[in-house]
């Protein structure tokens, strides 16, 4: 039986320089149309899932009305859910959205931090600041969502080992339950690739990886998967289902599924 459902929301308020995901700039008409199509797929499902993951893109770019519409479309799927995650960007979270997420049963947030250095955030095309990150965490905790994972990218342009250490210290000061740390990859279809930006040397990348490992383990984190660390009991059940070779279903543009040893991926083009 399939226990995990992934739903792709491809809209982003701005496009980051390193991004090669299936995403488009947010547009209210296009996102309304997309949600109507998504609803048809969601209504055709009848399984009660154990984990649901709203990823993107930026699911938090949807307005309160749009998100409410999406929730209505999936109400029949969430009765038995243990872990319900949404990816959130710090600059698109509001108190109304945070309350809506909590009321919908969302009990885990993956927050796109990437770096705590405001200048570097600007350079990589992120429109939030570290102050926005702190504010988002306050909002989430205020509404009762305390299982917060943060994404960090290392090996960013101009980044040194000290900069990464400062990022890690600042993230740890925010008491995350889970951290996902990815080394920057220059993808062929990204703005970074077109601008000729190169990845850092493999020596520096290795030093960074080792620094992350040493520091996080010292702070009580478990390195439970290549890029993921968590406090005891906070492993992402959804992520682990991929690693355990369980079946999962992906709904929406570009989403992938695995059913009975067969993997398949939806069209990448939102118009298709
Ligand atoms: S990295 Fe995330 S937020 Fe940035 S453009 Fe890509 S999907 Fe959107």
């Amino acid at each position: 039986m399939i226990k995990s459902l992934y739903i792709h929301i491809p809209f982003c308020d701005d496009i980051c320089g390193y991004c090669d995901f299936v995403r488009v700039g947010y547009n209210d008409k296009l996102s309304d149309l997309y949600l109507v199509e998504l609803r048809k797929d969601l209504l055709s499902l009848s399984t009660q899932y154990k984990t649901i993951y709203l990823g993107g893109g930026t699911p938090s770019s949807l307005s309160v009305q749009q998100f409410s519409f999406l929730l209505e479309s999936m109400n029949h799927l969430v009765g038995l859910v243990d872990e319900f995650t949404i990816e959130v960007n710090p600059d698109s979270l509001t108190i109304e959205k945070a309350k809506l997420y909590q009321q919908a049963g969302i009990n885990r947030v993956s927050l796109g931090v990437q770096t705590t250095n405001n200048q570097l955030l600007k350079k990589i095309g992120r429109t939030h600041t570290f102050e926005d990150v702190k504010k988002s965490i306050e909002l989430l905790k205020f509404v009762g969502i305390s299982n917060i994972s943060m994404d960090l990218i290392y090996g960013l342009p101009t980044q040194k080992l000290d900069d990464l250490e400062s990022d890690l210290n600042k993230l740890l000061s925010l008491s995350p339950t889970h951290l996902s740390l990815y080394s920057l990859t220059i993808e062929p279809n990204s703005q970074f690739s077109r601008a000729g930006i190169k990845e850092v040397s493999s020596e520096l990348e290795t030093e960074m990886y080792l620094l992350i490992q040493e520091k996080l383990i010292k702070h009580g984190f478990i390195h439970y998967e290549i890029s993921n660390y968590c406090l005891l009991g906070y492993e992402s059940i959804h992520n682990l289902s991929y690693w355990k070779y369980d079946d999962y279903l992906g709904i929406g543009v570009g989403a992938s599924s695995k059913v009975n040893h067969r993997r398949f991926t939806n069209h990448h083009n939102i118009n298709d």
Side-chain angles (χ1 to χ4, degrees), residues 11-12 14-16 18-21 23 56-58 89 114 126:
F11 305 102
C12 294
D14 288 283
I15 303 299
C16 307
Y18 53 89
C19 183
D20 187 34
F21 298 131
R23 50 30 179 188
T58 308
N89 265 356
Q114 318 314 356
R126 305 286 297 189

Side-chain angles (χ1 to χ4, degrees), residues 32-169:
D32 278 350
L33 283 173
Y34 181 78
L35 291 171
V36 168
E37 292 306 313
L38 204 59
R39 184 185 197 113
K40 292 179 193 163
D41 280 356
L42 290 167
L43 291 178
S44 72
L45 305 175
S46 56
T47 307
Q48 295 277 312
Y49 295 94
K50 298 299 259 180
T51 72
I52 297 182
Y53 195 104
L54 292 171
T58 308
S60 60
S61 66
L62 296 179
S63 69
V64 167
Q65 290 72 21
Q66 289 176 321
F67 200 81
S68 302
F69 180 85
L70 173 63
L71 289 172
E72 265 176 50
S73 312
M74 52 191 288
N75 244 341
H76 58 298
L77 307 173
V78 302
L80 297 177
V81 81
D82 288 332
E83 184 186 272
F84 191 173
T85 303
I86 183 170
E87 288 180 349
V88 165
N89 265 356
D91 48 356
S92 57
L93 187 68
T94 61
I95 185 71
E96 292 77 19
K97 289 184 189 178
K99 279 184 186 162
L100 185 60
Y101 300 160
Q102 192 275 338
Q103 284 157 8
I106 288 175
N107 55 14
R108 185 172 183 274
V109 164
S110 173
L111 195 63
V113 178
Q114 318 314 356
T115 170
T116 64
N117 178 319
N118 287 344
Q119 281 175 341
L120 201 46
L121 280 168
K122 209 167 175 186
K123 202 178 277 181
I124 64 175
R126 305 286 297 189
T127 48
H128 71 265
T129 62
F130 183 54
E131 289 64 44
D132 295 326
V133 171
K134 290 195 271 188
K135 202 173 124 209
S136 299
I137 290 169
E138 274 170 28
L139 283 184
L140 291 168
K141 290 192 172 163
F142 177 73
V143 302
I145 301 177
S146 55
N147 188 3
I148 302 170
S149 177
M150 298 183 208
D151 280 359
L152 187 92
I153 303 177
Y154 60 96
L156 290 167
T158 73
Q159 198 178 40
K160 306 271 184 307
L161 209 55
D162 288 352
D163 301 319
L164 175 63
E165 182 149 29
S166 160
D167 273 352
L168 293 171
N169 287 336

